[in-house]
Amino acid sequence: MPQHRAEDRSLASLPPCIFPSSPSALENGLGCSPPSKRAFLDPLPGHGPPRPPACPPLDSCSQPLCDARAGKQGARGAPGVRYVPSEPGSPCGWWAFTPACLQAFNTPRGLLLVLCVASFLQGMTVNGLVNTVITSVERRFDLHSYQSGLIASSYDIAACLCLTFVSYFGGSGHKPRWLGCGVLLMGVGSLVFAVPHFAAGHHDVAVPQDTGTCRGNRSTICADSASGLASYQLVFMLGQFLHGFGATPLYTLGVTYLDENVKSSYAPVYIGIFYTAAILGPAAGYLLGGALLNIYTDVGRRVELATDSPQWVGAWWVGFLGAGVAALLIAVPILGYPRQLPGSQRYMAMRASETYRWKDRDPAAATDPDFGKTVRDLPLSIWLLLKNPPFVLLCLAGATEATLIASMSTFGPKFLESQFSLSASEAATLFGYLVVPAGGGGTLLGGFLVNKLRLRGQGVLKFCLLCALASLLAIFVFVTHCPNVPMAGVTTPYNGSPLPEGRLQLTATCNAACRCPPELYSPVCGSDGITYPSPCHAGCPAAATTGPDGQKVYRECSCVPQNLSSALGHATAGKCTSTCHRKPLLLVFVFVVIIFTFLSSIPALTATLRCVCDQQRSFALGIQWIVVRTLGSIPGPIAFGWVIDKACLLWQDQCGQPGSCFVYQNAAMSHYMLVAGLVYKVLGLLFFAVACGLYRPPPGSPDGLEASLPSQSSASDGPSAVQLQSDV
């Protein structure tokens, strides 16, 4: 930030010079005048009308911005706008410690950098690492699926609990301090999440080599685990609660703080970059978590287990330690930012010119600068937002989009795994290749297009409407599907015996003597091209041997038909590969659905910020996040999961109780996803359309106001800069 001389800084303490509100006065160049022209402007005593007095020599009115040209520009601005000299921006630092080297970061770009790092860490931790390691956490601490689901939901629950408080009081407070404290809480939450690894001790497990084969099956005892490790669920939930509390200011106050300190036409680009970092974070979390899960949980200890063994537990905790330390470090510079960046107030009038007006006149309380700073104003603040139809409709549209995003993030890999017969890791990797360019690129491109096309108000809503329509058309790709890979006893019969309609028949003559337990599922691909639920169901008597290509091969499997090379067939570990010719079509259109869904995210957020007044923007984002979470991201995956479970063919057997689904019917799965996707997409399209129809811009042209603004360089030149303040 440019350094100012002492005499320049002294100008800030002088009374502000207000330009005349009369257009005629401005057009005639009247008002305060430079001292050099005083003799020419002052008439002789008793001759002519009196002239306004000249400003004192050190008054900020003596700057060239007081000439007639500035007055003419002001006359063309929006009504109710006045021009006042700005004070030098507060320095960047901590209390009295404000070193000069830090002032280079006291800019919108410096702010964007640190906020991007914080959002990247949040996305990597909550949406990346937690989702990646949750299965390993279940194995290590004997947790059921509903318990791990509660751990994952604790983040959203915590965010909903504190959104109203943070967005309401933080919106009128010192936003960087709220942001910094939130990032500190996120760092502490990551460290707490890793605590159970150190408190639980070493992880010991021994597994016989022939488990899963015909001869190696033993009876399993169905009893609750007495290890006591399940009590660590509360520690994981505490870590997720801290994550939720800490991330709340980031996506409410952080967005409004960015929007306040940049030109309104540049705000979509800045916010788009911010959200792109948040989307790239989960991709990094998946990559980092996947790499760490290949390391045993007790780092440095050698075990006989293979990484694909059901008993393997990877080093799930290492990523949380690194993310926690990084969050604590990035919180320090965020806490050093001032309440407002230098030159930020000159954009206030431009934002006011785009603010939606539902009635001809806003309530007087809403225009009070002190409105929203006390609890007494909370009911009126909520009422004003509920009376704002475009805001309410954008919240509902955001909830429908959040439902699809959360549901696709949860079940997208499962859909690819079922349709293309992939392993879980292969499906997650393929889905990551789709989401990173489509989600990140769509988010960044949406903000760029709003800026490039100079969209304002209703134009932004029309852009969101077009994106919703495009994704609605692309979602019809779920009409098609890939056929199921044949699985013995599930989709195809054993040895030509008839398969009962709608029923499973996993036991046949060839494997009856094996007495395969129903909970056993470790699919193998027979040499006949049919997948078998396990080596036991394929009738394989002995443990696997390692083939030339490194695959596990089971020999002399009685259920696999004979071939020319051996008396009995063989089977290799893993499912048979799919030969679906529709795979490219499905991937391309899934990519289109994702990119158009994310393409409207930043424009919709920009429209939300322009639908409410300045005093309510942080609170409005908080209310919107509550609506999005309670109506979208929390119940959405549950609804999608319930629908997808209708297509399940083979359920996991947990001592007579159904667990997770092993095999889905691909045709039914695609059709159910089509129906659910169409419902939410049509609702989103309707919400955007009605919001676009109800939006009414205020009187005056935003473009004319933008033309009347001084250049950015003049806004950063200390006391001679111009601030724009709105009377709205």
Side-chain angles (χ1 to χ4, degrees), residues 511-523:
N511 61 16
C514 297
R515 297 182 180 179
C516 304
E519 67 273 10
L520 185 61
Y521 183 77
S522 179

Side-chain angles (χ1 to χ4, degrees), residues 26-90:
L26 288 172
E27 291 174 359
N28 293 328
L30 302 181
C32 59
S33 58
S36 60
K37 297 184 179 181
R38 185 174 180 179
F40 297 93
L41 293 178
D42 287 345
L44 295 175
H47 294 78
R51 301 285 187 179
C55 297
L58 291 180
D59 200 325
S60 58
C61 293
S62 63
Q63 301 298 327
L65 292 174
C66 287
D67 60 16
R69 289 177 297 176
K72 292 180 181 179
Q73 290 177 351
R76 293 193 301 268
V81 178
R82 55 179 180 162
Y83 295 79
V84 300
S86 65
E87 298 181 0
S90 302

Side-chain angles (χ1 to χ4, degrees), residues 403-404 407-408 411 635-645 673 676-677 680:
T403 300
L404 292 175
S407 302
M408 288 298 293
F411 301 108
I638 299 175
F640 261 75
W642 179 80
V643 170
I644 290 176
D645 280 343
M673 290 196 70
Y680 284 103

